[in-house]
Each structure stands twice: as structure tokens, then as C-alpha cells.
Amino acid sequence: MTALWIMDPLGILAPGAERGVVVDGACIVELVPKGGEPATPDVAVLDARRHVVLPGLINTHHHFYQTLTRATPAALDRTLFPWLQALYPIWAKLTPELLDAAVTVAMAELLLSGCTTTTDHHYIFPAGLEDAVDIEIAAAQRLGIRAVLTRGSMNLSQRDGGLPPDSVVQDEDTILADSERLITRYHDSAPEAMVQIALAPCSPFSVTTSLMQSTAALAERTGVRLHTHLAETADEEAFCRAKFGYRPLDYLEQCGWLTNRTWLAHGIHFDAGEIARLARAGTCVSHCPCSNQILASGTCPVCEMEQAGMSVGLGVDGSASNNASSLIQEVRAAFLLQRSRYGADKVGHLDALRWATEGSAACIGRPELGRIAAGMQADLALFALDELRFSGALDPIAALVVCGAHRADRVMVGGRWVVEDGAIPGLDIATLIRRHTEAAHLLHAG
């Protein structure tokens, strides 16, 4: 393949790359400074004068299947526990065909928002959906998105004092056996990996202590990462105190999870001492601003976390709470929410972009992602500023955040274009919308 010079961008989130970057194969091989020319010989050229170039955005928390339950009337205007109780019976009717439609929509929406790497936390396994993660992997490979897919789990049902109904949980032996199967079959530890597996018991109120401990031991033995929801709501803290006798973080540590291979979703209700402990352990947090606002869960203390030395990433969270899967919109939401908390002198647009790139890469243990630099993976998002919303904008990078970008014009993953001219090659969006809409209605009616 001929090396490609992405030439003379309108703006680029990389110092010393005013004239763009050179991509050769799957990697960035050169930054071209102001007034310079590529040292790489015989390069092809992409004229990027109408584009702002970002490192590919990285989504660190999602629930793909929830695209089928957007704006569900029974779940509107509820906080987390009653929201879950309204939705569990609907999610229990998921089938492989419905899940495939859901995950295809989620990944396509992410790609079109400039996301090049996504995680997913799938923890619903009703009878007949045992191969849910396999379905997700197949969809990711079709679309060309990089994925860190977590084998979620729940084994603490209502009859055992948990929140989920019996029909959506599995026993510990089944969960651990399938976790090991997925790691053996799919997990790739190479820097250029397109598919990785992590392990993700859902939450303290839906899994047993035994499963938390056994999962941590399996992750340690196989070298994969750990993920779970933690400190999302005050109700969760009350549950942990009543059932386990600990605050959520104390419980997590008792289970062997306070390590540098763990990243946590939400992290809203940590105190200063707990943030210091998380920082010492190297544990990261995925900030999910839209979901947190819709469910009125609270606000992640991002600045205190970063000041303590923690890495913070961004996640869109599920499309039943966020109701969208747009990572560039999540950047703007994080920027606005955190600025309103800390002030205009403490949070800027570059902070929000850092959370969605370098911070998110740290969450998933992928240092080869999240920056535009020689030797990094060629994951790039190019945004055109030719919409009315950007008219008159003077700082092109700031404009993406403060003017509200929502759609990338081009997206590259590992040196391959997966979005061109605002479309995903080979994907008929109109047909996908019809299929997905039918699937949503079928799920609710079934």
C-alpha cells in the first residue's frame, strides 16, 4: 500500500503537525510540521483543507442492546433502580436477530460520530442469547470498528436479594466457562488488535461476591482487563452497606478489583480518600455525562480525579439512558457539565477532547491509541466545518466542541477508511433503520 499524506488540515489535534500526518499501513509514520514536506517518499495525498483532524475517539462504556429501548415510556423520568426494573422484563425478550440489529445501529452511530474504538458491556443473557458477544464481534468486524467487548454477567437475581429478574441471570460456572471461551477464541493482546475481551460483572447489586472474586482471578490469569459499574447512585451505596457492610469501593477492594487493570463506569459518589486510593491503584473511570444527567445520578468529580493522578475516559453509556450513541456529542456534554461544576478557568474544550482520546485509551489499556504521533495506530476522525452550525467559527478545534459537531466526514481505523463522505461504505442506513425500528417494536410487543 502507498503511504498517505493527510495534507494541510484546517486544524489538527497534534503539535508539530500543521501540514498533516503520513499514514503507512496501519500506523502513523510521520508528522509534517508547518512549512515542511513529508520525508516519506512517493506518498499519495488526501487534501484535508476542509477538515479538522482528531485522534479517533474512544468509547469506554456502552450497552449496545439498549438501542432497542430508546425513549421507552415506562422508563422515562425514573432514577436508576426503578428505571432498570421497568426495562429488565423487556430486555429479557432479546433474541440473536434483535441483538444484531441493535449492535449494528450502535456501532454505526459511533463510527459516524468519529469513534474508532468502542467498548461494550453486555450482561443480559436470556435463554437463546448465549452467543451475544460473538454476535457483537461479527458486527464489529463487518463495520471495521476497533472493539474491546466485555463479557458481562449477572447471577444475583431478585430471589437472592438482587435487582434483576431470574430470567436474565446465569450461574457462576456458566459465566466463567463462557468468559474463558471468549478470551481463548477472540482476545488479541497485540498493539494493532481489532478485538479484545474484558470481563465485566454488571454491578454490586446484580452479582455475588464469589463471582466478583472468581472473575478477578480469571482476569489475572489470562491478562485481560476488568470493568463494572460502581458508585453510580446513592441507592447503590445503600445497597452495598446493607448487603455487604461496605461502601462500594471498599467492597470492590475486598473482591480483589482495585488494580491497574480495572476501569469503572460512572464513579460519581467517591469521596476524596477513595479518589486517592483509586489513583494509587491505577484504576480508571469512564465518565458518562449524558446518562448521568438523564437518570439524575449526579456528576463525576473529574477534576479531582485528574488532580489525584487518575485517568478519566468518556462513555456514551446505554442508549436506553443516553438515548444516543454519539461520542462527539458526549464530548460536548462532558465539557458543558464539568465546566458548570468547576468553572470556565478549570475546564476547556481540550480537556473534554483529552478525556475522549488519551484518557479513554488509558481506561482500556491501549497506549497505542488516542494520540496523533509517529508510531501510533492510524485511527483518525476528520470533521468538515461546512455546516451552518460552524459558520464564522475562528478556532476550528474549539468549534467541534463549542458549536456542537455531531457527524464525522471521514473516519480511519488502522489505516483503513471506514467512513467516507459521511457514510459507511456498504451499509444502507435507510434499510438498517427500518430493520432496527421493526426490531424495537417486536421487542416491546413480544
Side-chain angles (χ1 to χ4, degrees):
M1 292 175 59
T2 303
L4 176 67
W5 178 16
I6 300 174
M7 183 182 74
D8 293 337
L10 184 62
I12 183 167
L13 193 60
E18 293 80 6
R19 295 215 64 202
V21 297
V22 177
V23 171
D24 194 355
C27 293
I28 297 168
V29 295
E30 186 180 355
L31 305 186
V32 185
K34 184 177 181 180
E37 296 283 336
T40 307
D42 302 321
V43 293
V45 171
L46 174 76
D47 186 341
R49 284 178 293 178
R50 56 187 286 267
H51 290 110
V52 180
V53 181
L54 299 181
L57 307 180
I58 301 169
N59 176 34
T60 56
H61 188 63
H62 206 338
H63 308 294
F64 293 160
Y65 71 89
Q66 292 183 10
T67 63
L68 293 171
T69 47
R70 288 170 164 159
T72 298
L76 295 175
D77 304 324
R78 295 189 179 208
T79 55
L80 178 65
F81 278 17
W83 174 86
L84 284 168
Q85 289 164 335
L87 288 166
Y88 275 139
I90 301 172
W91 295 337
K93 295 178 286 186
L94 278 169
T95 67
E97 295 76 16
L98 298 178
L99 180 64
D100 183 71
V103 302
T104 303
V105 163
M107 292 184 196
E109 191 177 359
L110 285 165
L111 281 173
L112 292 169
S113 74
C115 176
T116 53
T117 299
T118 186
T119 65
D120 187 58
H121 188 181
H122 187 90
Y123 54 84
I124 297 284
F125 290 88
L129 199 61
E130 290 80 7
D131 292 336
V133 178
D134 303 77
I135 291 168
E136 295 187 323
I137 290 169
Q141 291 172 335
R142 287 197 305 270
L143 292 171
I145 194 168
R146 206 182 293 273
V148 179
L149 300 173
T150 74
R151 205 303 181 178
S153 55
M154 297 193 295
N155 73 331
L156 187 69
S157 66
Q158 290 171 343
R159 67 185 172 198
D160 304 310
L163 202 65
D166 299 342
S167 61
V168 298
V169 304
Q170 296 175 305
D171 64 81
E172 182 173 326
D173 289 343
T174 298
I175 291 163
L176 293 173
D178 193 52
S179 297
E180 189 146 16
R181 175 188 71 85
L182 290 166
I183 294 166
T184 301
R185 182 171 180 182
Y186 295 114
H187 182 70
D188 182 357
S189 59
E192 66 275 12
M194 290 297 293
V195 175
Q196 291 188 333
I197 301 295
L199 303 181
C202 182
S203 62
F205 49 83
S206 58
V207 300
T208 61
T209 301
S210 175
L211 180 59
M212 288 290 286
Q213 293 171 337
S214 297
T215 301
L218 178 58
E220 175 71 23
R221 176 165 61 82
T222 56
V224 302
R225 294 181 76 77
L226 291 165
H227 183 53
T228 193
H229 300 92
L230 203 78
E232 182 176 2
T233 66
D235 287 342
E236 176 196 319
E237 180 180 335
F239 179 93
C240 287
R241 285 186 181 278
K243 189 163 185 68
F244 308 119
Y246 297 107
R247 280 174 58 83
L249 186 64
D250 297 324
Y251 174 66
L252 194 80
E253 187 170 21
Q254 291 290 322
C255 293
W257 275 60
L258 196 58
T259 78
N260 61 4
R261 289 182 297 101
T262 299
W263 89 100
L264 306 171
H266 303 296
I268 294 167
H269 298 281
F270 290 132
D271 62 30
E274 290 171 331
I275 290 172
R277 286 164 58 197
L278 288 161
R280 286 195 298 271
T283 302
C284 305
V285 163
S286 173
H287 175 33
C288 305
C290 287
S291 173
N292 293 164
Q293 291 176 91
I294 287 174
L295 293 176
S297 300
T299 304
C300 180
V302 169
C303 286
E304 285 92 336
M305 288 177 173
E306 289 198 314
Q307 287 164 4
M310 289 179 63
S311 292
V312 177
L314 284 190
V316 301
D317 203 359
S319 289
S321 55
N322 183 326
N323 296 286
S325 300
S326 171
L327 197 49
I328 191 63
Q329 289 184 335
E330 206 70 28
V331 170
R332 187 170 194 261
F335 163 73
L336 293 173
L337 179 64
Q338 296 297 335
R339 177 173 276 210
S340 70
R341 176 176 180 138
Y342 293 107
D345 60 333
K346 296 293 193 300
V347 175
H349 65 279
L350 295 178
D351 296 306
L353 288 168
R354 184 183 67 255
W355 300 330
T357 53
E358 293 182 69
S360 285
C363 281
I364 60 172
R366 300 293 298 268
E368 69 280 4
L369 307 177
R371 290 188 299 120
I372 297 174
M376 303 291 282
Q377 288 291 296
D379 290 8
L380 302 169
L382 281 64
F383 293 83
L385 301 189
D386 51 9
E387 298 176 63
L388 193 60
R389 71 180 67 233
F390 299 116
S391 180
L394 300 180
D395 183 323
I397 293 175
L400 295 180
V401 180
V402 300
C403 300
H406 64 91
R407 194 176 184 100
D409 185 60
R410 281 180 165 266
V411 176
M412 174 181 282
V413 179
R416 173 174 168 256
W417 293 115
V418 294
V419 174
E420 298 180 63
D421 301 324
I424 298 171
L427 184 65
D428 185 332
I429 294 291
T431 299
L432 176 60
I433 290 173
R434 285 194 298 271
R435 176 189 168 211
H436 181 263
T437 302
E438 290 170 2
H441 287 296
L442 182 62
L443 183 67
H444 284 77

